[in-house]
């Protein structure tokens, strides 16, 4: 067999047995590689040519198990829209942890690979459209500089799956720093015995935060680190107008990567109440709620660590609560420093928060496009943003603010270019690319889109056509979980 360079370890499978199930692959009829991420393959130490060969593809289709792989499905629980429930990988298979030539460790997971002991009523499969969508959006997030799981490949299975209609089946190869979730901790805290929660916590520390291993209270440090990473992550989402759509605790990683691209989408018109997901009827996960929901999810994480933080439960709760209350300020600091960069501001002034807040108010009032407002400011193309025609006052305040710092106008503009993307995966662009691929087997539009999204801060003339708004902005965009 051609070996593309799989170099697996299976450290997760050495954790307490309750945390996973060993599974058998579910072969598919006729796997065909439709998307392949060559640069990611190289980063992983995999030979692109061998991976794209028939034998290579049979691995990412789940038809063959490479040497060293021990396929498992992971157990986890989670709070879904606020209610606690048992979940687990119902349609995914971890084939192993790839150790790269640089010594990094990445989970390689096949999503849509068939039924597992956690599938409940589901078929364990995924449809092509949603898998392509995950590929596009996760790779766009990566290029935007936002921590995220990535996508190595998408294969079609040659089999249909039944949803409302019959759809082509597909499998996505997801690459993640790990698949440890807040929900994994909730699972073991609820159903684990004695030492099991501690084993999981130690594993997470070893894998993601080895620098805290020797801390006096390493479980408290773990909580602090995860709070920090999540605060930083959510601030980054807000700064590009990304709405995750389903921030359940099973979709919150311990590593701080964005995971689970289901009903997510980017906001065009700025409105803090934006919700895209068809199932989020009450707007629990609307844009403006992402930071407070982040804190809520971290409180669920903190609860799982209570017995590890202190022998005295009351003391432990007090300590954990104190940490959770820090989320707000931490988030605000990340957000402020990111917003200052978007406005070309290098130093800090107390009034900055108002300046930024007022801009958001104006964007809302004028129904301004989020991304293009910052582009217009970056390139001083005020004629392109209706908002600044009538709101000269704000613009003047901003200009005066820039003049009060040492850095030159050019340095300011460079900072803005590096922090305000020219292109985001706009919904209408994503939809047209998906339609061409799924309905007509034409992947050219998607390739072109991926290409432009791979360099969002380039600000090239070729990107112009991806900056335009959808023709019919009145119709609300609706996303589906795509299960
Ligand atoms: P998600 O909405 O993707 O976070 O998934 C929530 C839960 O539903 C997870 O436990 C998934 O593994 C499970 N699930 C989603 N789709 C399917 C499916 N087609 N078959 C079996 N389980 C699924
Ligand atoms: Mg999930």
């Amino acid at each position: 067999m051609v070996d593309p360079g799989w170099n697996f370890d299976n450290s997760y499978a050495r954790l307490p047995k309750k945390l996973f199930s060993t599974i058998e692959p579910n072969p598919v009829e006729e796997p065909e590689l439709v998307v392949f991420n060559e640069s990611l393959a190289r980063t992983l130490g995999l030979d692109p040519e061998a991976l794209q060969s028939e034998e290579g593809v049979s691995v990412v289709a789940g038809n063959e198990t490479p040497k060293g792989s021990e396929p498992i499905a992971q157990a986890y629980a989670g709070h879904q829209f606020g209610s606690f429930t048992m979940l687990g990988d119902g349609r995914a298979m971890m084939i192993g942890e790839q150790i790269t030539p640089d010594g990094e460790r990445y989970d390689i997971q096949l999503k849509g690979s068939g039924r597992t002991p956690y599938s409940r009523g589901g078929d364990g499969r995924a449809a092509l459209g949603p898998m392509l969508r995950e590929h596009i959006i996760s790779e766009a997030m990566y290029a935007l500089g936002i921590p995220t799981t990535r996508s190595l490949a998408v294969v079609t299975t040659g089999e249909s799956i039944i949803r409302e209609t019959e759809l082509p089946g597909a499998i996505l190869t997801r690459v993640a720093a790990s698949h440890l979730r807040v929900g994994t901790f909730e699972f073991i805290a609820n159903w684990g015995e004695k030492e099991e929660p501690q084993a999981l916590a130690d594993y997470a520390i070893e894998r993601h935060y080895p620098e805290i291993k020797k801390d006096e209270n390493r479980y408290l440090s773990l909580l602090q680190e995860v709070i920090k990473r999540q605060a930083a992550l959510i601030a980054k989402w807000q700064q590009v107008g990304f709405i995750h759509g389903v921030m359940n605790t099973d979709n919150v990683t311990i590593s701080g990567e964005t995971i689970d691209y289901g009903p997510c989408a980017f906001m065009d018109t700025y409105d803090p109440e934006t919700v895209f997901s068809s199932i989020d009827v009450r707007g629990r996960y609307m844009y403006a709620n992402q930071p407070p929901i982040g804190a809520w999810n971290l409180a669920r994480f903190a609860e799982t660590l209570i017995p590890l933080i202190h022998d005295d439960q009351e003391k432990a709760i007090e300590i954990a609560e104190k940490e959770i209350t820090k989320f707000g300020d931490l988030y605000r600091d990340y957000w402020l420093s990111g917003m200052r960069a978007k406005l070309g501001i290098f130093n800090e002034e107390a009034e900055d928060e108002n300046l930024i807040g007022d801009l958001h108010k104006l964007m809302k009032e004028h129904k301004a496009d989020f991304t293009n407002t910052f582009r217009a400011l970056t390139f001083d193309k005020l004629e392109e943003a209706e908002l600044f025609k009538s709101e000269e006052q704000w613009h003047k305040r901003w200009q005066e603010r820039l003049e009060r710092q040492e850095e030159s106008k050019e340095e300011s503009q460079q900072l803005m270019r590096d922090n305000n993307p020219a292109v985001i995966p706009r919904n209408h662009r994503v939809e047209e690319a998906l339609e061409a691929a799924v309905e007509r087997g034409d992947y050219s539009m998607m390739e072109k889109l991926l290409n432009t999204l791979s360099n969002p801060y380039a600000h090239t003339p070729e990107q112009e056509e991806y900056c335009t708004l959808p023709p019919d902005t009145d119709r609300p965009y609706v996303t589906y979980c795509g299960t």
Side-chain angles (χ1 to χ4, degrees), residues 131-344:
M131 294 305 101
L132 294 178
R133 199 162 183 282
E134 168 151 351
H135 181 86
I136 296 170
I137 308 215
S138 63
E139 286 304 306
M141 292 286 273
Y142 173 76
L144 284 164
I146 301 177
T148 177
T149 64
R150 298 192 63 189
S151 164
L152 177 65
V154 179
V155 293
T156 48
T157 59
E159 297 171 7
S160 296
I161 63 167
I162 311 296
R163 295 294 180 260
E164 272 106 55
T165 54
E166 219 171 283
L167 299 169
I171 298 172
L172 174 125
T173 306
R174 181 158 71 182
V175 178
S178 86
H179 284 81
L180 295 174
R181 309 153 189 263
V182 166
T184 319
F185 280 79
E186 290 182 286
F187 168 77
I188 207 72
N190 267 275
W191 290 291
E193 281 157 62
K194 294 185 293 253
E195 310 298 314
E196 290 173 344
Q198 187 171 354
L200 180 66
D202 284 333
Y203 178 79
I205 291 170
E206 185 68 46
R207 202 160 165 186
H208 298 299
Y209 305 97
E211 66 281 2
I212 63 169
K213 225 165 36 180
K214 302 229 155 58
D215 286 6
E216 203 180 313
N217 187 342
R218 61 183 185 275
Y219 306 112
L220 173 60
S221 300
L222 174 64
L223 175 61
Q224 290 167 335
E225 292 303 317
V226 176
I227 290 174
K228 248 191 263 167
R229 293 248 185 126
Q230 285 293 331
L233 177 69
I234 296 171
K236 282 184 187 277
W237 290 355
Q238 302 302 88
Q239 275 148 24
V240 294
F242 173 77
I243 301 171
H244 183 283
V246 58
M247 288 176 70
N248 294 332
T249 55
D250 53 300
N251 295 335
V252 179
T253 58
I254 300 305
S255 67
E257 287 183 341
T258 312
I259 196 170
D260 235 325
Y261 291 88
C264 64
F266 282 70
M267 165 165 80
D268 290 315
T269 307
Y270 177 71
D271 179 353
E273 292 183 11
T274 305
V275 176
F276 292 116
S277 170
S278 64
I279 57 166
D280 191 3
V281 281
R282 293 199 194 153
R284 179 180 169 93
Y285 299 135
M286 68 167 83
Y287 176 79
N289 280 356
Q290 296 193 127
I293 285 290
W296 192 89
N297 288 338
L298 289 161
R300 306 290 78 71
F301 178 52
E303 284 162 6
T304 72
L305 297 175
I306 294 296
L308 301 177
I309 287 176
H310 204 287
D311 290 338
D312 177 342
Q313 192 182 348
E314 256 170 56
K315 260 215 178 97
I317 291 173
E318 198 183 304
I319 296 170
E321 275 176 353
K322 204 170 116 216
E323 291 307 321
I324 295 297
T325 58
K326 289 183 193 162
F327 177 90
D329 282 346
L330 263 172
Y331 165 77
R332 184 172 152 269
D333 287 348
Y334 283 119
W335 184 78
L336 261 179
S337 74
M339 289 311 299
R340 283 195 179 100
K342 282 176 84 71
L343 290 174

Side-chain angles (χ1 to χ4, degrees), residues 24 50 83 96 110-111 116-117 191 205 216 227 340 377 405 408:
E24 294 294 322
S83 315
L110 307 183
K111 183 170 173 180
T116 77
W191 290 291
I205 291 170
E216 203 180 313
I227 290 174
R340 283 195 179 100
L377 288 174
Q405 62 185 7
S408 68

Side-chain angles (χ1 to χ4, degrees), residues 74 76 80 86-92 111-112 114-116 118-127 161 163 174 181 244 246 248 250-251 260-263 279 481-483:
Q74 296 183 343
Y76 53 85
Q80 297 198 305
M86 172 61 198
L87 295 159
D89 289 333
R91 55 161 173 170
K111 183 170 173 180
R115 285 181 53 78
T116 77
Y118 312 110
S119 297
R120 292 168 291 171
D123 61 1
R125 292 293 180 193
I161 63 167
R163 295 294 180 260
R174 181 158 71 182
R181 309 153 189 263
H244 183 283
V246 58
N248 294 332
D250 53 300
N251 295 335
D260 235 325
Y261 291 88
I279 57 166
C481 273
T483 50

Side-chain angles (χ1 to χ4, degrees), residues 402-461:
L402 293 184
E403 275 158 30
R404 284 199 300 275
Q405 62 185 7
E406 276 173 22
E407 286 78 4
S408 68
K409 192 108 212 259
E410 289 69 40
E411 286 170 295
S412 224
Q413 199 204 30
Q414 192 55 50
L415 183 65
M416 293 178 77
R417 290 175 68 116
D418 295 342
N419 285 279
N420 294 314
V423 282
I424 51 157
R426 288 196 186 269
N427 302 319
H428 63 299
R429 290 300 196 174
V430 173
E431 289 302 325
E432 71 183 12
L434 290 181
E435 195 188 306
V438 177
E439 307 292 330
R440 306 192 289 281
D442 172 5
Y443 285 81
S444 60
M445 222 182 248
M446 181 171 151
E447 272 159 32
K448 206 172 151 214
L449 178 64
L450 282 169
N451 191 37
T452 201
L453 290 172
S454 71
N455 215 345
Y457 304 106
H459 302 281
T460 57

